[in-house]
Amino acid sequence: MRSFTVQAGGGLALTTDRPVADPSAGEVRVAVRATSLNARDRLIIAGKYSVDVGGRVPLSDGSGVVEAVGDGVSRFRVGDRVLGAFHPTWLYGPYPGWKELRGTHRDGWLRDYVVLDQQSLVPVPDSLSFEEAATLPCAALTAWSAVEGVGPGDTLLVQGSGGVSVFALQFARLAGARVLATTSEAGKAERLRALGASGIVNYKETPHWGARVRELTDGGATRVLEIGGAGTLTQSIEAVAHGGQIALVGNLAPGEGMDVHHFFRRAATLRSISVGSRSELERMTEAIARSGLRPVIDRVFPFEQAPEAVAHFESGTYIGKVVISH
């Protein structure tokens, strides 16, 4: 089968002679139909991740069709459409800590076939294509967890127009909340408004955008989706309402971190998000099916152009998700 692996020093290498494994007891073999890129994949493919990924098949997120099942498999049958959970062993309950993940500790989805434990898969909603389903395991579930409890009367602030931010915007609007967004480009601002954002703050024109958010919301956002981490946390603290919550989902921007005194005066909560469990993924996909929500896909690349997909993702010009079709 075909597969891409991370080269020593970074980059992707295509191989075409990797053997196709048979599923053992409790496992299923999935013919992969689509995968999607997340922020962590940039570090993994560049060979800059916190663990050695040389020779590893990357990408944690994918969808496909069950092609074969091992003994004792009861959750799925041949022909079922499935997508993989980001945390393969976190099925339900409290967060158990980072375990072995696809694309880092285990081979990921950027290949023709994967063999997985049946417990790490969930059904694809009938309303979604394989490409749309492949966007859900990490970005969508992270956003779902981050906006949990947001509803009418609340205001959510999202940073940028990447996958997590766009999903959070969509989920919050479904829940009846108001959404504001930061961006630096007029074209992205227009698209975010079309998706339901009622206010946009250009963070290049307004470097101290936290104060502007407080003006637009008459006191601050009740929930802030923090993508930048150390580089933007100070402004998020300025933007959050008294007693509000900052959901920390990324640490993508360099900086000096938070002003503890300022944070203390806000009486706010800082909560880190670690994607979610399989049971939460099932709840989210069921909600998506009921609501008719459609993931926002910026561009779909064919499998052979996976390196080009990575380059497009690294450019930062996309809105929503970048997908690879197998």
Side-chain angles (χ1 to χ4, degrees), residues 268-290:
T269 300
L270 177 64
R271 181 168 67 102
S272 63
I273 306 297
S274 300
V275 189
S277 67
R278 190 201 72 191
S279 64
E280 286 300 305
L281 180 61
E282 290 170 325
R283 284 186 58 218
M284 183 194 72
T285 56
E286 290 166 1
I288 287 173
R290 290 194 303 269

Side-chain angles (χ1 to χ4, degrees), residues 1-4 13-20 112 303-304:
M1 68 170 175
R2 303 171 305 167
S3 66
F4 278 98
L14 175 64
T15 61
T16 58
D17 57 355
R18 196 181 185 99
V20 179
D112 287 330
F303 180 82
E304 296 81 2

Side-chain angles (χ1 to χ4, degrees), residues 1 10 38 54 58 66 71 89 96 118 135 137 146 157 161 172 182 199 218 235 243 254 271 300 311 313:
M1 68 170 175
N38 294 294
V66 175
D71 292 339
T89 59
Q118 64 172 333
T135 70
L157 172 67
S161 56
T182 65
D218 191 25
Q235 290 305 309
R271 181 168 67 102
V300 178
F313 189 78

Side-chain angles (χ1 to χ4, degrees):
M1 68 170 175
R2 303 171 305 167
S3 66
F4 278 98
T5 56
V6 179
Q7 301 181 82
L12 293 175
L14 175 64
T15 61
T16 58
D17 57 355
R18 196 181 185 99
V20 179
D22 292 322
S24 300
E27 295 181 332
V28 302
R29 183 170 69 226
V30 178
V32 183
R33 293 291 184 261
T35 49
S36 74
L37 291 160
N38 294 294
R40 68 192 285 268
D41 295 316
R42 291 187 299 186
L43 296 176
I44 293 169
I45 294 171
K48 298 178 180 179
Y49 201 64
S50 56
V51 298
D52 182 15
V53 294
R56 184 71 70 197
V57 177
L59 303 195
S60 60
D61 291 11
S63 65
V65 179
V66 175
E67 185 185 78
V69 299
D71 292 339
V73 170
S74 58
R75 284 173 52 81
F76 301 102
R77 297 180 296 178
V78 171
D80 285 347
R81 302 194 317 146
V82 295
L83 60 95
F86 179 80
H87 290 282
T89 59
W90 183 14
L91 305 184
Y92 51 84
Y95 177 52
W98 291 88
K99 305 285 186 178
E100 294 188 350
L101 301 178
R102 296 283 170 193
T104 51
H105 305 83
R106 307 180 184 185
D107 280 338
W109 284 75
L110 196 53
R111 46 182 165 159
D112 287 330
Y113 300 94
V114 293
V115 174
L116 307 166
D117 189 296
Q118 64 172 333
Q119 301 297 338
S120 67
L121 296 166
V122 303
V124 170
D126 292 338
S127 59
L128 299 186
S129 67
F130 287 115
E131 288 77 15
E132 291 171 323
T135 70
L136 302 182
C138 182
L141 187 55
T142 297
W144 173 268
S145 299
V147 303
E148 181 181 12
V150 168
D154 291 323
T155 299
L156 171 72
L157 172 67
V158 301
Q159 295 176 356
S161 56
V164 177
S165 293
V166 170
F167 272 120
L169 189 164
Q170 291 178 293
F171 289 142
R173 293 297 297 131
L174 280 177
R178 181 189 180 195
V179 180
L180 278 71
T182 65
T183 187
S184 62
E185 300 176 21
K188 289 184 176 181
E190 183 178 348
R191 186 70 187 279
L192 289 167
R193 286 194 181 92
L195 289 168
S198 62
I200 304 292
V201 179
N202 187 310
Y203 61 82
K204 286 189 176 179
E205 295 177 355
T206 310
H208 298 288
W209 46 263
R212 178 57 178 156
V213 170
R214 293 184 67 80
E215 292 174 1
L216 292 173
T217 56
D218 191 25
T222 49
R223 185 76 54 89
V224 176
L225 186 73
E226 177 55 65
I227 300 290
T232 54
L233 191 52
T234 295
Q235 290 305 309
S236 289
I237 293 171
E238 179 65 27
V240 73
H242 186 83
Q245 183 183 111
I246 300 172
L248 178 63
V249 303
N251 190 32
L252 303 180
E256 298 181 355
M258 64 188 292
D259 180 336
V260 176
H261 179 67
H262 195 186
F263 178 71
F264 182 77
R265 288 190 301 165
R266 283 284 184 264
T269 300
L270 177 64
R271 181 168 67 102
S272 63
I273 306 297
S274 300
V275 189
S277 67
R278 190 201 72 191
S279 64
E280 286 300 305
L281 180 61
E282 290 170 325
R283 284 186 58 218
M284 183 194 72
T285 56
E286 290 166 1
I288 287 173
R290 290 194 303 269
S291 68
L293 183 147
R294 306 304 292 266
V296 176
I297 295 177
D298 181 87
R299 187 172 170 185
V300 178
F301 289 79
F303 180 82
E304 296 81 2
Q305 293 182 15
E308 287 83 349
V310 174
H312 179 62
F313 189 78
E314 290 177 340
S315 73
T317 59
Y318 61 92
I319 296 176
K321 296 291 289 182
V322 177
V323 174
I324 299 168
S325 178
H326 294 225

